Amino acid sequence: MKETIDRLRSEGSERIKAAGNQSDVEAVRVALLGRKGEITSLLRGLKDVDEAERPAMGAELNRLKVDLTALLDARQVEIG
C-alpha cells in the first residue's frame, strides 16, 4: 500500500499542476477525493491492512489527503 500512496502523491500533484482551468481542477479533485476516488477507495481498504500496519497507513493516507487538498486549493486560487 505504501507504493500506491507514493504513486498517488506524485501522480496527483502532477495532475493538479497540469489542470488548466477550474473544471479541470474539480475533475482531479473528484478523481482523487470523490466518493469513488482513488484515495477514498484506499481509505475504505484500510480494514484489509494488517492490524499492526493500519495506524501508520491511515496516518499516511490522511497526510496525503491533506497535502493534495492543499495543492488543489492553491491551484484553484492560482487559476482564479
Side-chain angles (χ1 to χ4, degrees), residues 11-70:
E11 285 179 10
S13 51
E14 289 301 317
R15 288 164 65 183
I16 292 167
K17 289 175 190 171
N21 57 44
Q22 295 288 346
S23 61
D24 290 347
V25 173
E26 181 63 14
V28 173
R29 186 194 68 75
V30 169
L32 295 172
L33 303 168
R35 286 185 60 189
K36 295 182 181 179
E38 296 176 61
I39 295 172
T40 307
S41 296
L42 287 175
L43 285 166
R44 286 188 184 129
L46 275 176
K47 63 180 172 34
D48 300 328
V49 174
D50 182 46
E51 198 172 315
E53 294 179 20
R54 197 174 302 149
M57 288 297 110
E60 190 67 29
L61 276 171
N62 283 328
R63 196 170 16 261
L64 172 64
K65 186 175 178 180
V66 167
D67 292 347
L68 291 181
T69 300

Side-chain angles (χ1 to χ4, degrees), residues 1-16:
M1 182 177 259
K2 177 72 171 135
E3 298 83 26
T4 305
I5 293 171
D6 292 339
R7 178 186 57 81
L8 274 175
R9 185 177 306 279
S10 63
E11 285 179 10
S13 51
E14 289 301 317
R15 288 164 65 183
I16 292 167

